[in-house]
């Protein structure tokens, strides 16, 4: 079988592959909304039928909330086993008034497909299902009706709500899910037309801080200057979290950090990243963007490979129109830390909580609530499976594959590494500007079609490692 055979078949089937994706995107599988429970199940059943049609043995398996779709095609125990992971649930569409069209009635326009879930993650995971179809319908594999690898799919319906049941499912089904390689597409290329393998993900520590003083709101004229002010105090606490150089000031925060390695710095230099274009896209001053954060690290290094701490939300007191002269009795902030390999989110959450309490002004009570955490992950760039995938992507795109890290978190990656002892390959098929989680989410059709070719070519390459 040759690349041309894969390419020719994939091109011949583009209209059909697009029609099927549109049908998939029409299902409003919003996992956060109880009104869409039936739609979640409909999406799982839709995938079940599509995979069965290709000859996979398929199960829709219940969890404590939304079901997972598991499928397998086992060819020969002597061949490598590849597990493809993705999710069929999508984000809510709010604010609906900012959409240019119905989020669940896909629009194809100017080479894009616009719909909720088009990039995150229905379009990307469905490209892998179509990649399997391409292999089954081309070359020597058409005659045998078999794949070049043992192939499994694990597609969940809870990713957009933090995958609360996935770790337990994996732990309870290690034998079923056993694989040599896990292939995931739920991320982005570093630039258009640039094949990308993401080898590093940040972890996450996310807390809510609640600061209280008086039993009720107080008149600022009668009590101002004589009582603790939770909003003022919380502002001081937040300001104390960084030093003047932009480093996180929490003691112990950097103790376990693995610094950027020389080969990584060389890989970063090959990334087509323009700091001015980055700033312009965000309507920011390029000089300011370049200087914010830790000294002696480039902007890209800070974004991808250094730990960070940010206040994500703050509230307290009067929020309405006009004036109301009160001293609020309490205030709240939400804070996230993006962590790098070797940092433990439980430890960071404790260090952060201790620091905030120690730096609270007198008279304030402080509660730090652990809302969410996730482990960072790092895959060796020189592993056989990563190198095989990189060569396959370069074949499809006709240019060198870029290795990237990202500030995002996909907690299941470390779970696969630890529970299945499998190598993980993250191949982004979308773009950073696909507006995932935002109105008018889109997926470039060329990325969908190339994703199908890439999936087939990667699976073929993995058979040969």
């Amino acid at each position: 079988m040759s690349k041309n055979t894969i390419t020719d078949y994939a091109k011949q089937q583009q209209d059909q592959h697009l029609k099927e994706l549109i049908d998939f995107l029409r299902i409003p599988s919003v996992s956060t909304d109880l009104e869409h429970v039936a739609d979640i199940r409909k999406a799982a059943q839709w995938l079940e039928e599509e995979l069965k049609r290709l000859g996979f043995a398929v199960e829709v398996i219940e969890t404590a909330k939304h079901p997972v779709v598991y499928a397998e095609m086992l060819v020969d125990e002597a061949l490598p086993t590849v597990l493809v992971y993705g999710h069929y649930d999508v984000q809510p569409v709010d604010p609906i008034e900012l959409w240019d069209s119905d989020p669940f009635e896909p629009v194809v326009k100017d080479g894009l497909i616009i719909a909720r879930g088009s990039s995150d993650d229905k379009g990307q995971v469905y490209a892998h299902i179509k990649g399997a179809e391409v292999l089954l319908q081309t070359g020597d594999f058409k005659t045998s009706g078999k794949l070049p690898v043992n192939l499994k799919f694990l597609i969940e319906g809870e990713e957009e709500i933090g995958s609360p049941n996935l770790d337990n499912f994996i732990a309870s089904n290690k034998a079923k899910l056993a694989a040599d390689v896990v292939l995931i597409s739920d991320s982005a290329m570093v630039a258009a037309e640039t094949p990308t393998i993401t080898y590093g993900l940040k972890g996450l520590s996310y807390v809510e801080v609640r600061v209280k003083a008086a039993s009720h709101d107080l008149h600022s004229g009668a009590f101002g200057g004589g009582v603790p002010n939770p909003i003022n105090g919380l502002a001081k606490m937040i300001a104390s979290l960084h030093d003047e150089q932009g480093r996180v000031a929490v003691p112990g925060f950097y103790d376990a950090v693995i610094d950027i390695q020389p080969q990584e710095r060389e890989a970063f230099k090959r990334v087509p990243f323009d700091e001015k274009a980055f700033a312009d896209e965000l309507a920011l001053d390029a000089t300011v963007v370049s200087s914010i954060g830790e000294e002696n690290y480039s902007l890209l290094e800070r974004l991808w490979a250094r730990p960070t701490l940010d206040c994500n939300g703050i509230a307290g007191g009067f929020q309405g129109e006009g004036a109301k002269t009160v001293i609020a009795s309490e205030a709240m902030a939400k804070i996230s830390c993006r962590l790098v390999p070797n940092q433990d989110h439980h430890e960071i959450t404790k260090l952060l909580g201790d620091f905030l309490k120690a730096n609270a002004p007198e008279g304030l009570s402080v509660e730090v609530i652990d809302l969410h955490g996730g482990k960072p992950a790092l895959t060796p760039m020189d592993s056989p499976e990563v190198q095989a995938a990189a060569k396959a992507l370069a074949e499809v795109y006709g240019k060198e594959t870029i290795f990237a890290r990202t500030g995002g978190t996909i907690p299941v990656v470390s779970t696969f590494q630890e529970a299945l002892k499998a190598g993980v390959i993250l191949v982004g098929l979308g773009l950073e500007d696909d507006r995932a989680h935002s109105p008018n989410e889109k997926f470039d059709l060329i990325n969908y079609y190339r994703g199908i070719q890439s999936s087939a070519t990667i699976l073929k390459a993995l058979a040969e490692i």
Side-chain angles (χ1 to χ4, degrees):
M1 182 176 62
S2 68
K3 174 197 169 190
N4 288 336
T5 307
I6 290 175
T7 302
D8 291 345
Y9 179 82
K11 286 183 176 179
Q12 292 167 9
Q13 296 298 311
Q14 282 184 358
D15 289 347
Q16 179 62 28
H17 291 166
L18 176 57
K19 178 183 179 300
E20 292 169 12
L21 178 58
I22 288 172
D23 289 342
F24 191 21
L25 292 171
R26 281 190 172 124
I27 305 171
S29 49
V30 181
S31 53
T32 60
D33 193 337
L34 292 177
E35 292 184 2
H36 288 288
V37 170
D39 296 314
I40 283 281
R41 189 162 298 278
K42 182 179 179 181
Q45 292 169 342
W46 189 93
L47 285 171
E48 178 186 22
E49 292 304 313
E50 287 299 307
L51 286 160
K52 281 183 176 178
R53 184 173 58 81
L54 296 180
F56 283 82
V58 190
E59 300 175 72
V60 176
I61 305 173
E62 300 299 328
T63 72
K65 194 169 183 68
H66 300 314
V68 300
V69 178
Y70 173 77
E72 64 180 24
M73 186 176 290
L74 305 180
V75 181
D76 188 328
E77 62 181 15
L79 293 173
T81 297
V82 179
L83 173 66
V84 174
Y85 162 82
H87 63 93
Y88 64 84
D89 65 320
V90 300
Q91 280 277 317
V93 298
D94 303 318
I96 185 66
E97 65 273 11
L98 296 184
W99 284 81
D100 295 333
S101 56
D102 185 331
F104 295 111
E105 189 52 54
V107 171
V108 177
K109 180 181 179 182
D110 299 328
L112 310 174
I113 181 166
I114 302 165
R116 174 58 88 225
S118 55
S119 180
D120 181 22
D121 179 46
K122 286 181 174 179
Q124 296 201 51
V125 74
Y126 198 63
H128 286 292
I129 294 175
K130 296 293 93 179
E133 177 189 287
V134 168
L135 289 174
L136 288 166
Q137 295 297 324
T138 57
D140 296 336
F141 302 113
K142 182 176 181 181
T143 303
S144 64
K146 296 179 180 178
L147 295 168
V149 295
N150 301 306
L151 184 58
K152 302 177 179 180
F153 283 92
L154 175 62
I155 308 174
E156 67 158 322
E158 299 180 355
E159 196 275 345
E160 299 294 5
I161 54 174
S163 303
N165 296 295
L166 189 61
D167 279 4
N168 286 339
F169 179 84
I170 293 170
S172 301
N173 292 275
K174 289 181 182 179
K176 180 190 290 287
L177 301 174
D180 301 292
V181 180
V182 179
L183 181 57
I184 302 174
S185 292
D186 190 13
S187 55
M189 294 178 277
V190 296
E193 304 289 315
T194 305
T196 304
I197 290 179
T198 300
Y199 71 94
L201 296 161
K202 286 187 178 180
L204 177 67
S205 165
Y206 197 108
V207 304
E208 181 176 307
V209 186
R210 292 190 171 275
V211 179
K212 297 183 180 181
S215 61
H216 57 279
D217 291 355
L218 302 173
H219 189 291
S220 64
F223 293 93
V227 298
N229 185 314
I231 297 176
N232 293 351
L234 181 58
K236 290 180 180 179
M237 292 161 63
I238 292 171
S240 72
L241 290 169
H242 294 87
D243 66 17
E244 292 182 358
Q245 285 71 48
R247 281 176 60 87
V248 177
V250 176
F253 186 83
Y254 294 97
D255 286 357
V257 170
I258 297 175
D259 205 355
I260 305 166
Q261 301 302 300
Q263 65 269 30
E264 294 184 277
R265 282 202 160 93
E266 289 303 312
F268 286 10
K269 290 177 182 177
R270 293 193 290 272
V271 175
F273 181 73
D274 184 323
E275 290 191 8
K276 185 179 186 308
F278 172 84
D280 289 347
E281 177 73 20
L282 303 173
L284 296 171
D285 187 304
T287 304
V288 173
V289 168
S290 181
S291 64
I292 287 175
E294 292 183 273
E295 293 182 320
N296 303 318
Y297 293 96
S298 71
L299 174 56
L300 198 57
E301 289 170 348
R302 284 183 271 123
L303 291 172
W304 283 359
R306 294 297 294 171
T308 60
L309 185 154
D310 286 287
C311 183
N312 302 139
I314 186 167
F318 178 62
Q319 305 287 324
E321 185 178 351
K324 183 182 181 184
T325 52
V326 294
I327 296 173
S329 62
E330 60 183 282
M332 176 275 291
K334 294 182 186 290
I335 298 172
S336 67
C337 302
R338 293 289 181 168
L339 311 177
V340 297
N342 216 39
Q343 285 185 298
D344 180 86
H345 66 91
H346 299 293
E347 176 66 16
I348 294 299
T349 296
K350 182 181 184 305
L351 291 173
L352 176 58
D354 291 346
F355 182 81
L356 287 166
K357 291 174 182 177
N359 283 272
E362 186 177 1
L364 299 180
S365 66
V366 180
E367 181 184 14
V368 180
I369 304 167
D370 182 356
L371 292 183
H372 185 53
K375 295 180 180 180
L378 200 63
T379 297
M381 287 186 286
D382 58 357
S383 69
E385 61 271 15
V386 169
Q387 287 298 310
K391 290 178 182 177
L393 286 170
E395 182 182 345
V396 172
Y397 284 84
K399 61 174 67 175
E400 179 186 11
T401 297
I402 294 295
F403 290 93
R405 288 170 70 163
T406 178
T409 303
I410 306 178
V412 73
V413 171
S414 60
T415 302
F416 284 134
Q417 290 173 328
E418 294 170 7
L420 302 184
K421 309 301 181 186
V424 178
I425 306 172
L426 287 157
V427 178
L429 302 180
L431 296 172
E432 292 290 358
D433 68 355
D434 277 345
R435 303 178 67 90
H437 296 206
S438 296
N440 300 312
E441 180 179 349
K442 57 90 173 173
F443 195 26
D444 289 36
L445 290 179
I446 190 172
N447 292 338
Y448 175 50
Y449 298 140
R450 277 207 178 139
I452 294 169
Q453 295 176 47
S454 296
S455 179
T457 308
I458 289 171
L459 292 176
K460 179 176 176 289
L462 291 174
E464 299 168 0
I465 62 173

